[in-house]
């Protein structure tokens, strides 16, 4: 089973990314939230096209990939909150490790896990910042379909690994890409996490 392996093998990177974003902060304000949305738009703008291309036609069809894109949701939130966009992340930072289909599945694991965990963040952000619907589309993910789509993702990934002639190598490449994808959520100069933060499920 690749999902438990991905979760355990990326725990350190996950915790560091979650601690850096710190969206469950009781003192979160609109400026900080807008900055996070801007950063996420820059990151997802670079990641999503390349992950989709790497998944290939069969992978995109298995996931209904267009329905999973978050850039439109980020654009909506930024318009709602009057947040000025920034340029997409340098494509080289993504292309450096998204080199084949296994890498694309590993990166997709992080993006889909973030969608699953975003439900808790959406509730916190809405209450803390007084947002009633507007500005929370990204963290709202797929709404009531979030759980079913996460399960569908897991099933599609497990099926893809099962078809691979070298399952161990596929898993290794997917895991490496997942770790690197988590790393994109944290600037290189960000401090290391000294202890695990409280579990908020904001990322996988």
């Amino acid at each position: 089973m690749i999902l438990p392996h991905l979760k355990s093998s990326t725990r350190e990177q996950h915790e560091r990314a979650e601690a850096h974003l710190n969206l469950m902060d009781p003192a979160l304000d609109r400026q900080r939230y807008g900055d996070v949305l801007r950063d996420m738009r820059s990151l997802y703008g670079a990641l999503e096209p390349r992950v989709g291309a790497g998944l290939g036609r069969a992978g995109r069809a298995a996931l209904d990939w267009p329905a999973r894109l978050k850039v439109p949701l980020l654009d909506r939130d930024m318009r709602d909150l009057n947040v000025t966009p920034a340029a997409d992340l340098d494509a080289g930072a993504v292309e450096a490790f998204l080199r084949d289909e296994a890498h694309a599945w590993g990166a997709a694991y992080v993006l889909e896990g973030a969608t699953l965990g975003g439900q808790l963040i959406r509730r916190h952000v809405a209450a803390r910042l007084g947002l009633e619907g507007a500005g929370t589309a990204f963290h709202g993910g797929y709404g009531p379909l979030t759980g079913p789509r996460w399960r569908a993702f897991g099933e599609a990934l497990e099926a893809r690994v099962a078809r691979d002639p070298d399952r161990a190598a596929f898993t290794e490449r997917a895991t490496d890409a997942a770790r690197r994808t988590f790393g994109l959520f944290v600037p290189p100069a960000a401090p290391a996490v000294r202890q695990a933060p409280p579990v908020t499920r904001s990322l996988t």
Side-chain angles (χ1 to χ4, degrees), residues 21-186:
L21 292 174
N22 196 24
L23 284 168
M24 296 300 291
D25 182 1
L28 181 72
D29 58 25
R30 287 201 180 210
Q31 179 65 50
R32 168 65 180 149
Y33 181 58
D35 290 344
V36 170
L37 290 177
R38 181 184 295 110
D39 290 346
M40 291 301 98
R41 175 60 176 83
S42 176
L43 174 56
Y44 277 67
L47 270 172
E48 285 187 335
R50 290 161 182 84
V51 172
L55 289 170
R57 182 178 300 176
R60 291 193 299 272
L63 295 178
D64 188 12
W65 183 247
R68 294 176 182 264
L69 298 177
K70 306 305 184 307
V71 164
L73 304 182
L74 283 160
D75 286 341
R76 183 194 312 171
D77 286 345
M78 291 172 68
R79 285 194 303 270
D80 288 345
L81 300 179
N82 199 28
V83 176
T84 303
D88 288 349
L89 182 74
D90 179 13
V94 177
E95 293 167 353
F97 67 89
L98 286 184
R99 298 186 298 273
D100 65 17
E101 187 184 355
H103 293 142
W105 278 99
Y109 163 80
V110 176
L111 301 184
E112 288 303 300
T115 304
L116 180 67
Q119 302 295 293
L120 184 60
I121 290 176
R122 186 196 63 77
R123 290 192 291 272
H124 172 71
V125 167
R128 170 65 192 165
L129 304 182
L131 301 176
E132 306 229 351
T136 62
F138 172 63
H139 288 105
Y142 314 127
L145 295 177
T146 299
R149 282 187 175 169
W150 169 251
R151 291 190 290 274
F153 172 80
E155 291 167 1
L157 174 55
E158 295 290 358
R160 176 60 186 87
V161 176
R163 293 194 304 271
D164 202 86
D166 191 340
R167 299 177 189 177
F170 187 101
T171 299
E172 182 178 352
R173 295 197 305 277
T175 302
D176 179 67
R179 290 190 183 115
R180 290 171 180 257
T181 302
F182 272 124
L184 295 177
F185 286 81
V186 185

